[in-house]
């Protein structure tokens, strides 16, 4: 076996205990997590292949498997004090509750569907089981995402019960406790609503896919790609963060989690090359947030959006790609000129992956087979064949498994040790995927209850009408109110949760005003996502500041300054809807014009134009030209201004050819 592969294999944890002496509780629990991970992946592949079971029944099995994984992984085997012992006891009890509840619901599913849901015939035991499942999902959400999201769920249920006590648009008739439990569980709604249904199918298969990729060394591959791309650019040190976060962010489902994952190596790398801590944390926060808007996964929101709107998944991909390109073109340019301005350009030759440099082209292609092959399969099945996401994800997982065994057999030979190493990586990947999906499952089930309450109480309709009324029906003011509401409702939430809330509450108001549905949902989704870098919460900035050892407010301030362009992009496609609904040549000329405007805006934000610092008095000129390109209603004027801006950018690029070093440019 090759040295590289041997090292990778030895790095994997021991799955099966070596002897009976190793059969401690900790090892048994870990073994059980591995078994549940494999069962979870196997079940989802089976469901994707045959798909005859109702989605709600599959969602129940999905909920039981993933919450079992969640509570097993929360056990603390080195407890320190009575709190840890109490949490362990609660986890064990709730593990038993969710297991028994899942079995009960599965055995009584058709009775619940046909009698309880349609004829309101149910028993006290049904209500007891439903209430127990609701409590477990709320507790798991609290444990996984903190008290803020847990309080949101509890407040939503309280609002359903205490509706008559609220004033104005919050008032409604109220639901009794029995009615709350019935509509959120026994009636196959709430916990088992469309949100968990999408999570158990389209979202889950991609999260499991990403977990298996990670088990096969996907994070190392992303790191190598980022380093190799960065080594070819003057601003390579900071571009590593952009490329790595772009690749990882789309599938993590959380900007803060993306900062924690990719930032653990990109932020220290930037610090080593002289990037100040607050800038390193800010750059990683912006790049990680952008990963959530990148197709095809978009932090799992793409699947939810397609289901809520009732459109094909391909329509969401097509609508999301140009705004995502605008974001990454601009963020790459922003960090590029910031790096040149501050002299963060030394040492890019150290970014080259020596292992890749020493490998032949053929060996490199074989070594990346588990990553490039599945990507090609996903693109072909989603874009060309237009399969549904679950079928595409199933073929993607199969491609990973086949690519992994093919790589190992070709590079290491067809002996037993090679197959054993592949099996261990596969099992590890299944465990990683299940662990990543477990907390997301809890929050989707919990939000299903909140959505059931606010929709059946009529609050969503009243809220959208009130939003339009407050703005007096003025288009721009409605957009601004929707922006503020989306940022507020999205604070502290993972991407799927943030999108679902704003999609239910704020998007209908924009649709009533005449904005096309996909545009409206994209608009509120972007701002819900940007709440993760918006103070005072700004979770991504908080995580980035911790890794960079910088002050939170310093990181948040630099993130807003460098990433202010991101708050403009939703307004550009709301006012230029050909970016969402493609319209031939006009779409691509508008895309080019908006790109030029965003680059001009970036120069004003950074205060550097590729050659020298931009005086304070000149920055409003750049911002004015950018705003005119974005918002002038006449297409020909907009295009003409973009041509002027493009010519000026070309002059700036030409002038940089006479600058020999970054230090000269800075001076």
């Amino acid at each position: 076996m090759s040295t590289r592969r041997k090292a990778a294999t030895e790095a994997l944890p021991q799955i099966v205990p070596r002897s009976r002496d190793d059969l401690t509780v900790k090892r048994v629990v870990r073994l059980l997590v591995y078994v549940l991970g494999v069962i979870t992946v196997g079940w989802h592949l089976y469901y994707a292949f045959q798909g005859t079971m109702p989605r709600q029944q599959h969602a129940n099995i999905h909920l039981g498997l993933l919450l079992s994984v969640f509570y097993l992984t929360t056990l603390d085997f080195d407890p320190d004090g009575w709190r840890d012992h109490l949490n362990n006891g609660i986890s064990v009890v709730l593990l038993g509750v969710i297991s028994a509840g899942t079995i009960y619901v599965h055995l009584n599913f058709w009775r619940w569907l046909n009698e309880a849901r349609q004829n309101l015939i149910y028993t006290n035991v049904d209500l007891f089981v439903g209430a127990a499942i609701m409590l477990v999902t709320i507790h798991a959400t609290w444990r996984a995402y903190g008290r803020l999201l847990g309080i949101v769920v509890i407040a939503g249920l309280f609002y359903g019960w205490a509706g008559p006590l609220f004033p104005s648009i919050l008032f409604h008739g109220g639901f009794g406790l029995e009615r709350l439990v019935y509509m959120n569980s026994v009636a196959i709604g709430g916990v088992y609503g469309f949100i968990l249904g999408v999570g158990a199918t389209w979202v889950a298969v991609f999260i499991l896919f990403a977990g298996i990729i990670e088990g096969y060394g996907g994070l190392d591959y992303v790191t190598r790609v980022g380093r190799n791309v960065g080594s070819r650019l003057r601003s390579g040190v900071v571009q590593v963060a952009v490329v790595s976060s772009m690749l990882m962010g789309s599938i993590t489902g959380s900007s803060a989690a993306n900062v924690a994952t990719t930032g653990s190596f990109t932020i220290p790398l930037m610090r080593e090359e002289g990037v100040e801590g607050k800038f390193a944390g800010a750059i990683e926060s912006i790049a990680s947030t952008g990963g959530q808007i990148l197709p095809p996964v978009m932090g799992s929101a793409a699947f939810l959006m397609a289901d809520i709107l009732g459109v094909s998944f391909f329509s969401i991909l097509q609508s999301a790609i140009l705004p995502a390109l605008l974001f990454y073109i601009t963020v790459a340019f922003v960090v590029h000129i910031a790096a040149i301005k501050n002299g963060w350009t030394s040492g890019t030759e150290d970014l080259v992956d020596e292992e890749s440099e020493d490998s032949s082209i053929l060996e490199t292609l074989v070594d990346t087979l588990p990553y490039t092959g599945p990507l090609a399969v996903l693109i072909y099945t989603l874009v060309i064949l237009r399969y549904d996401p679950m079928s595409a994800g199933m073929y993607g997982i199969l491609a990973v498994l086949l690519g992994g065994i093919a790589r190992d057999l070709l590079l290491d030979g067809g002996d037993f040790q090679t197959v054993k190493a592949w099996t261990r990586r596969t099992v590890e990947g299944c465990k990683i995927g299940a662990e990543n999906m477990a907390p997301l499952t809890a929050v989707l089930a919990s939000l299903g209850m909140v959505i059931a309450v606010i929709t059946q109480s009529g609050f969503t309709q009243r809220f959208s009408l009130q939003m339009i009324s407050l703005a007096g029906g003025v288009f721009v003011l409605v957009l601004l109110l929707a922006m503020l509401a989306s940022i507020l409702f999205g604070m502290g939430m993972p991407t799927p949760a943030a999108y679902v809330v704003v999609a239910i509450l704020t998007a209908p108001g924009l649709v009533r005003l005449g904005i096309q549905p996909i545009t409206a949902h994209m608009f509120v989704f972007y701002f819900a996502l940007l709440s993760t870098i918006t103070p005072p919460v700004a979770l991504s900035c908080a995580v980035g500041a911790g890794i960079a050892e910088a002050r939170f407010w310093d990181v948040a301030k630099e993130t807003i300054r460098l990433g202010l362009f991101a708050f403009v992009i939703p307004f550009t496609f709301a006012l230029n809807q050909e970016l969402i609904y493609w319209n031939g040549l006009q779409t691509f000329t508008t895309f080019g014009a908006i790109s030029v405007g965003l680059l001009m805006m970036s120069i004003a934000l950074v205060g550097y134009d590729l050659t020298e610092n931009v005086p304070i008095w000149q920055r409003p000129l750049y911002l004015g030209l950018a705003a005119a390109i974005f918002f002038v209603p006449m297409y020909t004027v907009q295009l003409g201004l973009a041509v002027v801006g493009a010519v000026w950018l070309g002059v700036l690029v030409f002038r940089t050819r006479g600058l020999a070093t970054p230090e000269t440019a800075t001076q």
Side-chain angles (χ1 to χ4, degrees), residues 631-650:
F631 306 126
V632 167
M634 293 183 63
Y635 171 70
T636 53
V637 175
Q638 182 186 54
L639 197 58
L641 292 172
V643 170
V644 172
V647 170
W648 177 240
L649 288 172

Side-chain angles (χ1 to χ4, degrees), residues 104-365:
Y104 182 89
V105 174
H106 183 73
L107 295 177
N108 293 274
F109 176 80
W110 291 105
R111 181 174 62 83
W112 279 21
L113 187 66
N114 295 324
E115 295 184 11
R117 186 176 186 178
Q118 298 180 11
N119 303 319
L120 300 180
I121 301 175
Y122 51 88
T123 66
N124 289 332
V125 176
D126 295 335
L127 291 175
F128 176 78
V129 171
I133 292 174
M134 291 168 61
L135 290 175
V136 172
T137 57
I138 295 172
H139 178 266
T141 300
W142 189 296
R143 285 285 299 269
Y145 292 100
R147 66 181 64 185
L148 176 62
L149 197 50
I151 291 174
V152 167
V153 177
I154 295 173
L157 293 176
F158 176 77
Y159 171 68
W161 174 75
L165 303 179
F166 289 93
S168 188
I169 65 170
L170 295 175
F171 175 85
H172 68 94
F175 308 113
L177 291 178
E178 181 176 334
R179 173 69 177 172
L180 276 176
V181 174
Y182 166 77
M183 73 182 193
N184 283 303
S185 57
V186 183
I188 315 295
V191 170
Y192 303 108
F194 79 94
I195 302 178
L196 182 62
V198 176
T201 51
W202 295 2
V203 176
V205 73
F206 274 84
I207 299 296
L208 297 175
F209 168 81
I212 297 175
I213 287 283
E214 184 176 343
Y216 282 7
L219 286 178
D220 293 334
Y221 175 69
V222 169
T223 304
R224 294 205 309 268
V225 171
R227 285 176 174 268
N228 289 333
V229 171
S231 68
R232 290 162 172 79
L233 300 170
R234 290 181 67 191
S235 56
V237 176
V238 292
Q239 296 296 353
V240 171
V242 175
V243 176
S244 302
S245 301
M246 176 182 67
L247 295 175
M248 284 299 300
S250 179
I251 57 179
T252 56
S254 169
S255 300
N258 194 20
V259 173
T261 303
T262 58
S264 62
F265 67 86
T266 60
I267 291 177
L269 178 64
M270 287 187 279
R271 293 298 307 275
E272 290 174 4
E273 297 298 332
V275 181
E276 194 175 347
K278 63 181 181 180
F279 288 107
I283 290 169
E284 178 59 42
S285 297
I286 298 168
S288 294
T289 300
Q292 306 291 292
I293 65 176
L294 185 67
V297 182
M298 296 168 59
S300 305
F303 311 125
L304 296 167
M305 194 177 297
D307 194 82
I308 291 173
L309 290 173
V311 300
S312 69
F313 183 70
F314 180 79
S315 298
I316 302 299
L317 296 185
Q318 178 179 304
S319 301
I321 187 65
L322 293 183
L325 287 176
L326 287 174
F327 182 95
Y328 270 104
I329 288 172
T330 312
V331 74
F333 184 74
V334 164
V335 300
H336 178 74
I337 58 178
I340 296 176
K341 176 184 179 181
N342 294 281
W344 303 329
T345 57
S346 60
T348 54
E349 65 277 359
D350 297 332
L351 299 176
V352 179
D353 183 17
E354 295 179 359
E355 183 177 328
S356 298
E357 289 288 313
D358 296 337
S359 302
S360 66
I361 295 178
L362 180 59
E363 185 176 352
T364 301
L365 289 175

Side-chain angles (χ1 to χ4, degrees), residues 318-319 322-323 326 475-476 479 514-516 518-520 522-523 568-584 586-595 597-598 626-639 642:
Q318 178 179 304
S319 301
L322 293 183
L326 287 174
F475 184 74
V476 175
L479 290 180
I515 297 179
Q516 294 297 319
I518 296 180
T519 305
M522 285 287 182
F523 183 89
V568 175
I569 290 178
F571 287 96
T572 64
F573 63 68
L575 298 172
N576 302 274
Q577 294 197 50
E578 58 269 20
L579 292 174
I580 301 294
Y581 294 91
W582 291 14
N583 185 23
Q586 185 174 353
T587 290
F588 293 98
T589 53
T590 301
F591 173 79
I594 300 299
S595 299
L598 288 170
I629 293 173
F630 297 150
F631 306 126
V632 167
M634 293 183 63
Y635 171 70
T636 53
V637 175
Q638 182 186 54
L639 197 58

Side-chain angles (χ1 to χ4, degrees), residues 56 61 137 139 197 201 223 235 292 338 392-393 397 431 489 556 599-600:
Q56 298 99 320
I61 296 174
T137 57
H139 178 266
T201 51
T223 304
S235 56
Q292 306 291 292
I397 290 176
K431 180 187 79 85
F489 291 135
L599 298 185
M600 304 301 285

Side-chain angles (χ1 to χ4, degrees), residues 19 32 34 130 159 225 246 289 357 388 414 444 468 473 492 497 546 560 660:
S19 66
L32 186 56
Y34 278 105
Y159 171 68
V225 171
M246 176 182 67
T289 300
E357 289 288 313
D388 65 90
L444 291 178
I468 296 174
I560 291 297

